[in-house]
């Protein structure tokens, strides 16, 4: 073992010396050497691979299942965000490619393009295709599927290597930087990084949404099915293994009251299976747990063994959830005691014939909303996404590397009463203004060459504002660029200059602050994002009602968040001008250069001139 560690250590030294020139992946007797190793081909992992590859780094992306894309290719077609202005970077690129696919396949004015909702509602098979195409554009990314982490070697607070089991064989991966993009934080945990599972009490971080005392409760899981009523693309729901109707008969007393409108529906309908609206392209529906419903798909308490569970334990939990989620539907469709109103409605639905064909038309992943959460260099809490005073914006984070607009949302952590007909507890939704996410949430304390963009450093309440695929993708994009910067500068990721990372992100179209009227692709995007990173966009507007949404489009989706525009053509107000001058002075702008700024008239002119002074003089 000591000899093995010496060999690993020697290889790491060689990799470090050659980091700037190594753009190829080296394979030798089952061992692989690369610049960056990413575990988990979730959208965050894919984004990390692409941004590291754009920085001329050799990347190995390892996925424990046979399907890349995480939940976005496993049934979660309705990605969670509130306004399109919150999408940027790799995730925006992905959605634009999805929309383009439908336009090329069916026509620019087709119903499929309309139903794709700007490319954010792709069919699982289309999402998979687009992610694969994005990865295929970079020859220095090697993707390995069906490979599970089995061991990690650590020396001097650095990961030397990670070992994976694939098809009965062992694969050893050596890299300068490792990124854990799994939903569970498996690489993080095996590396000895501190983490927590469960909910912190109010006394931990003074969060109003936290329970009174700390407990082990975990946000509930369920499957996100892809279903249809289209008879030409519908396959029947099969009886699950071990089916026993007695497990589901309690639903009969609920159905007999008539309190439910139907089996499949969308609020304000009272239903069992939440069929998200708008419909996905080609008459497919993203099926989910019905929040605050009488009958639930999610099973709080049944998932407590998942985060730290062995592969065998996770399989058992997976199977229990699948049995409940599928068995309930089979019962509703086939049991003679189900009232005809509900049985006929249920029989109209089935799985999509052209989805998940390798898995009997069922998703390959369970919707793991929350598992381990790292205890890292910045613990993201409820207050990190709330405003200070009457500022319309959420709290300012100078080291922001991503942003979101969803708010703290929890599907329940505990169930009271019978499994069918009881009530979830621990559910909440907290509307907040769009918020920034600081770099420190990605960084562990104990391990110096690991970045964690999914099982991020946060409290339970804080995590509930970050656990959305568009946000995770942005964090993954930042992780990939941070890894490359660390290699190029021969530093640890926590020692790189955040302002350089921010510049990389802005150049790549990724926003670190929400700006409703200056979006990626706008000539002023980089300058405005840079100015927002200096704090220049805070305190421009005040409100007594923070967290307001724009006009509702449909469901959870809204027009641009109010009071978050830059208004570049607006005449610069004296108070704003004074504050912006103070920011420039703090950045080291000389008096003679400040004189140039004295004569500008609009906000846009000031930001452009300040950007040029800092970057080009």
């Amino acid at each position: 073992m000591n000899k093995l560690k010496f060999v690993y250590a020697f290889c790491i030294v060689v990799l470090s010396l050659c980091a700037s020139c190594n753009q190829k992946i080296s394979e030798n007797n089952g061992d692989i050497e690369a610049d960056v190793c990413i575990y988990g081909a979730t959208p965050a992992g894919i984004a990390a691979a692409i941004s590291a590859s754009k920085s001329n780094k050799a990347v190995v992306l390892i996925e424990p299942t046979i399907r890349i894309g995480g939940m976005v290719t496993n049934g979660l077609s309705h990605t969670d965000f509130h306004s399109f202005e919150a999408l940027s970077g790799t995730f925006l690129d992905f959605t634009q490619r999805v929309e383009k696919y439908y336009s090329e396949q069916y026509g620019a004015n087709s119903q499929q393009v309309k139903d794709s909702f700007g490319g954010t509602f792709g069919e699982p098979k289309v999402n998979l295709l687009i992610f694969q195409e994005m990865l295929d554009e970079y020859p220095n990314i090697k993707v390995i599927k069906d490979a599970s982490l089995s061991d990690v070697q650590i020396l001097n607070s650095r990961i030397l290597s990670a070992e994976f089991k694939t098809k009965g064989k062992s694969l050893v991966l050596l890299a300068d930087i490792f990124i854990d993009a799994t939903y569970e934080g498996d690489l993080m945990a095996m590396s000895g990084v501190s983490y927590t599972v469960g909910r912190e009490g109010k006394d931990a971080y003074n969060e109003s949404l936290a329970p009174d005392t700390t407990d082990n409760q975990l946000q509930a899981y369920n499957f996100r099915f892809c279903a249809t009523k289209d008879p030409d693309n519908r396959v029947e729901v099969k009886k699950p293994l071990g089916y026993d109707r007695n497990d589901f008969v309690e639903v009969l007393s609920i159905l007999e009251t008539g309190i439910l409108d139907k089996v499949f529906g969308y609020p304000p309908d009272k239903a069992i299976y939440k069929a998200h609206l708008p419909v996905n392209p080609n008459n497919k529906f993203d099926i989910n747990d019905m929040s605050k419903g009488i009958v639930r798909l999610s099973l709080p308490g049944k998932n407590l063994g998942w985060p730290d569970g062995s592969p065998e334990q996770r399989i058992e939990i997976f199977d229990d959830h699948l049995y409940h989620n599928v068995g309930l539907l089979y019962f509703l469709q086939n049991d003679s005691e189900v009232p005809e109103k509900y049985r006929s409605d249920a029989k109209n639905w089935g799985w999509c014939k052209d989805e998940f064909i390798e898995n009997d038309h069922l998703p390959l992943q369970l919707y793991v909303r929350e598992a381990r959460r790292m205890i890292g260099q910045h613990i993201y809490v409820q207050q990190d996404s709330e405003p200070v005073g009457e500022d319309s914006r959420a709290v300012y984070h100078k080291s922001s590397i991503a942003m979101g607009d969803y708010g703290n949302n929890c599907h329940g952590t505990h169930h009271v009463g019978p499994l069918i007909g009881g009530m979830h507890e621990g559910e909440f939704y907290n509307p907040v203004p769009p918020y920034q996410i600081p770099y420190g949430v990605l960084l562990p304390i104990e391990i110096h060459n690991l970045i964690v963009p999914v099982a991020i450093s946060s409290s339970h309440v804080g995590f509930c504002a970050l656990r959305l695929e568009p946000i995770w993708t942005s964090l993954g994009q930042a992780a990939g660029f941070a890894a490359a910067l660390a290699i190029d500068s021969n530093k640890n990721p926590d020692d790189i200059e955040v302002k350089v990372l921010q510049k990389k992100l802005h150049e790549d179209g990724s926003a670190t602050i929400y700006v409703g009227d200056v979006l990626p692709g706008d000539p002023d995007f980089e300058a405005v994002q840079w100015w927002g990173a200096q704090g220049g966009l805070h305190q421009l507007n005040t409100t007594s009602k923070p967290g307001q949404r724009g006009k509702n489009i449909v469901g959870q989706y809204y027009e641009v968040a109010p009071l978050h525009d830059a208004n570049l053509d607006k005449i610069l107000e004296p108070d704003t001008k004074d504050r912006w001058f103070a920011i420039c002075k703090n950045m080291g702008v000389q008096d003679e250069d400040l004189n140039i700024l004295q004569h500008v008239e609009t906000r846009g002119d000031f930001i452009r001139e300040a950007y040029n002074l800092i970057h080009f003089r």
Side-chain angles (χ1 to χ4, degrees), residues 349-548:
W349 294 80
W351 310 136
C352 296
K353 185 186 301 183
D354 59 347
E355 295 287 356
F356 313 120
I357 57 176
E358 73 275 39
N359 196 46
D360 208 16
H361 312 290
L362 293 170
L364 287 80
Q365 290 193 31
L366 179 62
Y367 186 15
V368 177
R369 289 187 172 92
E370 179 182 20
R372 301 182 183 100
R373 301 187 310 277
M374 180 172 65
I375 301 174
Q377 296 190 21
H378 180 104
I379 298 175
Y380 196 93
V381 297
Q382 180 180 340
Q383 294 86 339
D384 281 313
S385 57
E386 294 185 334
V388 177
E390 293 190 345
D391 194 351
S392 62
R393 290 187 174 275
V395 61
Y396 166 57
H397 287 293
K398 185 175 180 61
S399 66
S400 175
I401 40 81
M403 61 86 176
D405 77 337
Y406 199 72
N408 314 82
N409 173 247
C410 183
H411 265 249
T413 62
H414 182 62
H415 189 78
V416 177
L419 177 62
I420 297 176
M423 182 177 67
H424 280 20
E425 293 183 338
E427 290 189 86
F428 56 74
Y429 179 69
N430 183 39
V432 296
Y435 40 95
Q436 296 179 292
I437 305 164
Y439 181 46
V441 303
L442 308 182
L443 302 174
I445 296 171
E446 300 89 348
I447 300 296
H448 299 320
N449 65 334
L450 175 66
I451 307 175
V452 184
V454 179
I456 37 187
S457 177
S458 57
S459 68
H460 163 72
V461 176
F463 185 83
C464 288
L466 304 179
R467 62 171 192 85
L468 303 319
E469 296 291 357
I471 294 177
W472 273 333
T473 305
S474 293
L475 294 172
Q477 185 176 1
F481 279 128
L485 288 171
I487 294 171
D488 288 342
S489 60
N490 196 27
K491 294 179 179 178
N492 295 326
D494 55 358
D495 290 327
I496 66 171
E497 292 188 73
V498 176
K499 65 181 181 180
V500 178
L501 174 57
Q502 290 171 331
K503 188 172 188 298
K504 284 277 189 182
L505 290 166
H506 300 159
E507 289 172 348
D508 204 40
S510 189
T512 57
I513 188 169
Y514 185 104
V515 184
D517 59 346
V518 185
L519 303 178
D522 190 295
D524 290 315
F525 176 77
E526 291 179 37
V528 170
Q529 285 292 315
W530 166 79
W531 192 238
Q534 314 312 313
L537 300 184
H538 279 72
Q539 301 177 37
L540 291 181
N541 296 290
T542 60
T543 180
S544 59
K545 297 180 179 179
Q548 297 177 75

Side-chain angles (χ1 to χ4, degrees), residues 338-345:
V338 173
E340 178 60 27
K341 168 186 174 181
Y342 300 109
R343 187 150 42 101
S344 60
D345 177 43

Side-chain angles (χ1 to χ4, degrees), residues 11-235:
C11 290
I12 289 296
V13 170
V14 172
L15 281 170
S16 297
L17 292 173
C18 299
S20 62
C21 60
N22 180 21
Q23 299 176 26
K24 295 183 179 179
I25 297 167
S26 173
E27 301 186 38
N28 183 28
N29 295 325
D31 291 356
I32 299 179
E33 298 178 11
D35 295 318
V36 180
C37 171
I38 303 169
Y39 187 44
T42 58
I46 291 170
I50 290 172
S51 56
S53 180
K54 286 180 177 179
S55 303
N56 296 317
K57 298 296 170 281
V59 180
V60 175
L61 176 60
I62 300 180
E63 165 57 34
T65 74
I66 61 173
R67 190 180 182 95
I68 66 166
M71 285 304 302
V72 176
T73 64
N74 276 280
L76 198 160
S77 292
H78 272 234
T79 46
D80 292 311
F81 61 94
H82 280 314
S83 64
F84 286 99
E85 290 78 9
L87 306 181
S88 69
T90 304
F91 192 84
L92 178 60
D93 180 26
F94 164 73
T95 63
Q96 290 172 339
R97 290 170 184 246
V98 170
E99 185 178 47
K100 181 181 178 182
Y101 168 88
Y102 286 113
S103 180
E104 292 178 346
Q105 290 291 317
Y106 302 102
N109 297 316
S110 64
Q111 188 64 41
Q112 286 85 350
V113 170
K114 179 182 177 182
D115 290 343
S116 77
F117 203 57
T120 62
F121 293 175
E123 301 161 80
K125 67 176 186 178
V126 173
N127 290 344
L128 176 63
L129 172 68
I130 298 304
F131 275 136
Q132 190 61 62
E133 288 179 350
M134 292 172 72
L135 289 169
D136 288 345
E137 292 176 3
Y138 298 93
N140 51 345
I141 299 176
K142 179 180 179 66
V143 179
I144 301 173
K145 293 181 283 188
D146 197 18
S148 297
L149 181 69
S150 59
D151 190 30
V152 177
Q153 293 291 324
I154 306 290
L155 183 65
N156 296 331
S157 301
R158 293 180 65 86
I159 300 176
L160 296 176
S161 67
E163 184 176 351
F164 302 88
K165 299 295 184 183
T166 175
K167 300 175 183 177
K169 297 181 180 179
S170 178
L171 180 98
V172 176
L173 205 297
L174 299 96
D176 279 342
I177 302 293
F178 288 80
I179 297 174
D180 184 347
T182 63
Y183 293 117
E184 296 83 2
D186 286 338
L187 175 58
M188 170 196 75
M190 195 173 287
S191 301
V193 171
S194 298
Y195 65 88
T196 188
V197 177
R199 305 187 300 174
E200 297 85 356
K202 278 187 168 61
D203 59 344
Y205 303 113
N206 195 31
E207 298 170 299
S208 65
L209 294 172
D212 290 335
T213 58
T214 298
D215 58 39
N216 69 343
Q217 292 183 20
L218 191 65
Q219 190 167 183
Y221 304 168
N222 58 268
F223 283 89
R224 298 289 288 262
F225 298 112
C226 187
T228 186
K229 294 189 289 184
D230 179 3
D232 294 332
N233 193 35
R234 184 179 65 201
V235 295

